[in-house]
Amino acid sequence: MQVLRPESSIQSLTFIKPDRRRVHDFLQLHEQVQTSVNLLDSLESFLSTFKKDLSAVSGQISELQDRSKAIENRLKARRRIEKPLSSLLADITIPPALATLILDSPVGEPWIEGIEDFERRLVTIKARSRVKAARDLGEVAEGLRIVAATKLRAFFLALFEPIRSNVTTNMQVIQTSVLLKYNGFFAFLQRQAPDVAHEVQRSYVGAARVYYETGFRRYARSLTLIKARFVEKHENIVASEREKDLQVDLERLAFAKIVGPGVTLAYMADDKSHKEPIEALLRSLLLVFLDNATSEYTFVKTFFSVEASLPTKESSNSILSPSLQSPDRATFADQRSVAESDYGGQRVVSPGIVNSLSAAETASKEEQAGTDALWKQVMDPVMTYCESFLKSTLDPIPPAVPLLTMIRLMEDVVVEVQKRNCPPVEFYVFALRLQMWPVFQKAMAENVDALKKLAEGGSSGYFSRAIATSDAGVSSICKRYTIMFSSFIQLTEQEEETMIFANLLRLRQELTKLILRHTNSITDVVKRATALLSIYDSLLQGLSKDTLSAHPKSQQEIAYWANLHEEAKRKIVSASRQLQR
């Protein structure tokens, strides 16, 4: 046991003694500490509770963020389909104004845009048949289609009535100013109501056929009356006594061209003193036929040739847009082959492109065949009248020069038709021209045979008398020959044309024989050569005066007779010298 010393006890007592004096302070401090501890406990409990609440709030905020992201994604998705959906609804819905236009208003100019808009919506409704809204509108659209087709049928039939009932109606004005303006209506019928379109087409063909048939029948009848007042039969170069054959008639040769004198009008037949040559009448008929036939072909090709489908206005954002679909293998191969051909190497044409081109060519031929057939149904009576009138001009056979004038007219018409791109008219006129060449050849053969018979003396047996020739007769034949030659040159632009120049060569050969036979009857050598010189000189004068063209054949013809002329001169000089001896 430790024994305390007195000094340490005193010190401890001294130390404790003041603590007792501050007991109250310590007690208060203890209470404060205890209060602080309680407060800290309360704060700890509060913080613990707050932490739990904060954790719960954090979970709710996280959940709200997830919901917000989901809502935002849905919003983006809806915004993505908003424009296509709006476009789809705009395409398949039929505005009340459009329905009212079709149901309550008569067909007119407001229908031009309206019927195109309705057809586009109708096509869209059919294409979007998987959409319930489109199926619901299908019956309404079908009803409007039937109403529109019914009204358009009545509208077109009313437009065709003046053509059918009145031949004085201006066909071209109705076609260009009225029918072509409403071309979209027929296109709508052909795509959406083919039976009605076919009925409208048959109605037009019937009306136009009656119109042209009546007009050309009356016009051909008027021309026939005028033709009967000017009968000009073919007379061979030996027997002809017409004074008109002794000069080149440039006014009549002008009828070989389209550009030239005016056409003969139907009312001119009422004047019984009015006369015109047959080539002028044929030219008038062909020019009238040319203008009407080519304009009709252009109208038929424009009005009745309709695209198989109507282009739809689909944006790239529309639902089920083709641009969002993958290309098939064939399309991809076509695109790749074209792309690869642009970068080095040999250009490759894929079979797909070749097939598409051949299909387009076939479709074009079929379309042209349909147009040609439709045009022929309209113009068939007209072609019959034209062919009948042509045959009437060839019976009796006209003289060779008017006949060649009509042939050249046919050729000029063919050239004009080719410029206007009207194949059926070209084939028809070309066929008419082919009918005229045998007649021309027959007329020229008669000239050659008659001249040959006269050159040979016309004797075929021992007891037959030879046909005598006279200076006036031979001179007249030479004059008619130069007129025929000059006229043929005026009507011929080609340097070599066998049908023309072969016949002229045969005529020249027989004429040369005739001249020699005629002068051989003169016993005196000088007089015989002088007669030859006189005949050749008249031929050269006629050819030089009447041949206005620098055609190579005319120069050759002049050179031929000039050689004979010089030969006759030499004979005169030689005979004169022999007489002087």
Side-chain angles (χ1 to χ4, degrees):
M1 180 177 180
Q2 185 179 3
V3 178
L4 296 174
R5 289 182 297 179
E7 293 85 356
S8 59
S9 301
I10 293 173
Q11 290 178 353
S12 67
L13 290 175
T14 304
F15 176 76
I16 296 173
K17 192 174 183 178
D19 292 338
R20 289 179 178 175
R21 289 195 300 267
R22 298 180 64 182
V23 169
H24 181 70
D25 294 336
F26 288 141
L27 290 174
Q28 289 181 350
L29 180 59
H30 177 71
E31 290 177 357
Q32 291 177 359
V33 171
Q34 190 64 36
T35 303
S36 298
V37 170
N38 293 335
L39 288 174
L40 290 174
D41 291 340
S42 299
L43 181 60
E44 181 182 5
S45 177
F46 174 75
L47 290 175
S48 178
T49 304
F50 179 74
K51 183 179 180 181
K52 294 179 181 179
D53 293 341
L54 185 61
S55 178
V57 170
S58 177
Q60 293 177 357
I61 291 175
S62 178
E63 183 180 355
L64 289 175
Q65 288 179 343
D66 293 340
R67 291 178 61 187
S68 176
K69 289 181 180 180
I71 292 174
E72 184 177 0
N73 291 334
R74 290 171 60 188
L75 179 60
K76 288 181 180 180
R78 291 189 178 184
R79 285 178 177 175
R80 191 179 299 113
I81 67 171
E82 178 184 3
K83 290 183 179 180
L85 183 60
S86 175
S87 177
L88 174 63
L89 293 176
D91 289 342
I92 65 174
T93 54
I94 300 176
L98 181 58
T100 303
L101 175 71
I102 296 175
L103 293 174
D104 298 336
S105 65
V107 179
E109 292 188 7
W111 276 55
I112 297 176
E113 295 182 359
I115 206 68
E116 181 179 355
D117 184 23
F118 172 67
E119 184 179 9
R120 184 171 289 108
R121 295 175 187 274
L122 184 62
V123 171
T124 305
I125 290 173
K126 293 180 180 179
R128 300 289 188 264
S129 58
R130 291 180 296 175
V131 182
K132 184 177 183 302
R135 292 196 300 270
D136 294 340
L137 287 172
E139 294 183 1
V140 177
E142 181 64 17
L144 291 175
R145 183 192 69 84
I146 295 174
V147 173
T150 304
K151 286 191 172 183
L152 290 177
R153 173 187 173 276
F155 174 75
F156 278 119
L157 294 182
L159 289 180
F160 299 155
E161 187 58 31
I163 301 175
R164 185 191 303 273
S165 60
N166 191 356
V167 73
T168 60
T169 302
N170 194 323
M171 186 71 156
Q172 281 69 33
V173 171
I174 292 182
Q175 289 176 343
T176 57
S177 301
V178 181
L179 293 178
L180 288 180
K181 181 172 65 175
Y182 299 120
N183 186 24
F185 295 167
F186 182 79
F188 169 80
L189 291 177
Q190 195 163 19
R191 287 190 289 260
Q192 305 301 331
D195 293 339
V196 178
H198 185 63
E199 181 182 356
V200 170
Q201 181 175 296
R202 285 190 291 105
S203 177
Y204 172 80
V205 169
R209 184 185 177 96
V210 171
Y211 174 84
Y212 286 116
E213 191 273 337
T214 304
F216 270 85
R217 184 182 69 247
R218 296 177 181 178
Y219 187 59
R221 183 173 58 197
S222 299
L223 295 181
T224 303
L225 291 176
I226 298 176
K227 182 176 72 69
R229 302 168 189 160
F230 190 89
V231 179
E232 191 176 24
K233 297 180 181 181
H234 170 69
E235 294 181 357
N236 61 62
I237 194 171
V238 175
S240 177
E241 296 180 356
R242 289 189 299 264
E243 295 182 359
K244 293 182 179 180
D245 292 343
L246 300 179
Q247 59 182 353
V248 178
D249 195 342
L250 296 177
E251 292 184 0
R252 294 186 64 174
L253 295 180
F255 294 124
K257 296 291 183 181
I258 291 178
V259 179
V263 299
T264 304
L265 302 179
Y267 77 89
M268 295 179 179
D270 298 335
D271 184 3
K272 296 183 179 180
S273 61
H274 182 76
K275 297 180 180 180
E276 289 192 22
I278 54 173
E279 58 267 36
L281 299 177
L282 181 63
R283 175 178 176 273
S284 298
L285 183 66
L286 287 179
L287 289 184
V288 174
F289 171 74
L290 171 66
D291 290 338
N292 285 275
T294 53
S295 65
E296 181 64 25
Y297 185 82
T298 302
F299 170 77
V300 169
K301 185 177 182 180
T302 304
F303 188 81
F304 292 106
S305 298
V306 181
E307 296 181 2
S309 60
L310 177 72
T312 56
K313 296 180 180 180
E314 292 186 353
S315 62
S316 59
N317 295 324
S318 62
I319 297 178
L320 301 178
S321 174
S323 60
L324 300 180
Q325 300 175 358
S326 300
D328 57 13
R329 187 173 302 174
T331 305
F332 177 75
D334 293 345
Q335 295 174 353
R336 184 178 61 182
S337 64
V338 173
E340 290 176 352
S341 64
D342 294 336
Y343 296 94
Q346 186 177 1
R347 185 175 182 86
V348 179
V349 180
S350 66
I353 296 178
V354 175
N355 294 334
S356 63
L357 291 176
S358 61
E361 184 178 356
T362 302
S364 177
K365 290 182 179 179
E366 292 178 353
E367 181 180 351
Q368 181 174 346
T371 302
D372 294 351
L374 194 62
W375 175 88
K376 189 175 181 181
Q377 292 178 21
V378 175
M379 303 300 295
D380 192 54
V382 176
M383 292 189 290
T384 302
Y385 287 124
C386 291
E387 188 170 0
S388 299
F389 184 82
L390 176 63
K391 291 180 179 179
S392 69
T393 60
L394 302 179
D395 185 21
I397 299 177
V401 174
L403 192 55
L404 184 59
T405 302
M406 292 189 289
I407 293 175
R408 297 307 188 206
L409 172 63
M410 293 282 189
E411 294 173 351
D412 201 36
V413 171
V414 170
V415 173
E416 181 64 24
V417 172
Q418 290 174 345
K419 294 178 182 178
R420 301 186 186 186
N421 191 20
C422 187
V425 179
E426 179 184 350
F427 297 150
Y428 173 72
V429 178
F430 188 78
L432 293 181
R433 172 177 169 269
L434 291 180
Q435 296 179 18
M436 301 185 71
W437 277 117
V439 180
F440 174 80
Q441 182 61 32
K442 181 180 179 181
M444 292 302 298
E446 290 181 3
N447 285 321
V448 173
D449 292 341
L451 194 56
K452 181 179 180 181
K453 184 177 180 180
L454 182 61
E456 293 176 352
S459 58
S460 58
Y462 292 105
F463 301 101
S464 60
R465 294 183 60 185
I467 300 176
T469 58
S470 62
D471 292 341
V474 173
S475 176
S476 177
I477 293 174
C478 291
K479 182 65 175 177
R480 282 193 287 271
Y481 171 78
T482 58
I483 296 302
M484 180 181 293
F485 182 88
S486 300
S487 299
F488 282 11
I489 290 295
Q490 291 290 332
L491 295 172
T492 305
E493 297 179 356
Q494 300 179 5
E495 294 184 4
E496 295 292 339
E497 190 165 354
T498 305
M499 185 69 73
I500 302 299
F501 297 114
N503 286 295
L504 287 177
L505 179 60
R506 293 173 61 194
L507 274 179
R508 188 178 71 183
Q509 292 172 349
E510 300 303 329
L511 179 61
T512 304
K513 294 178 183 179
L514 174 63
I515 294 173
L516 293 176
R517 173 182 176 269
H518 174 68
T519 56
N520 284 339
S521 60
I522 303 175
T523 57
D524 187 271
V525 178
V526 177
K527 291 183 179 179
R528 183 191 310 151
T530 303
L532 285 173
L533 184 67
S534 176
I535 294 173
Y536 294 151
D537 187 61
S538 65
L539 284 168
L540 287 172
Q541 290 181 2
L543 291 173
S544 301
K545 180 181 66 175
D546 296 329
T547 305
L548 306 178
S549 173
H551 197 282
K553 290 296 182 180
S554 64
Q555 304 302 323
Q556 294 175 13
E557 186 72 14
I558 292 175
Y560 174 81
W561 295 110
N563 291 334
L564 295 179
H565 186 270
E566 292 297 327
E567 184 179 351
K569 282 185 177 180
R570 289 193 295 270
K571 289 182 179 179
I572 293 175
V573 173
S574 176
S576 298
R577 289 177 179 176
Q578 290 179 0
L579 290 176
Q580 290 177 0
R581 292 177 184 176

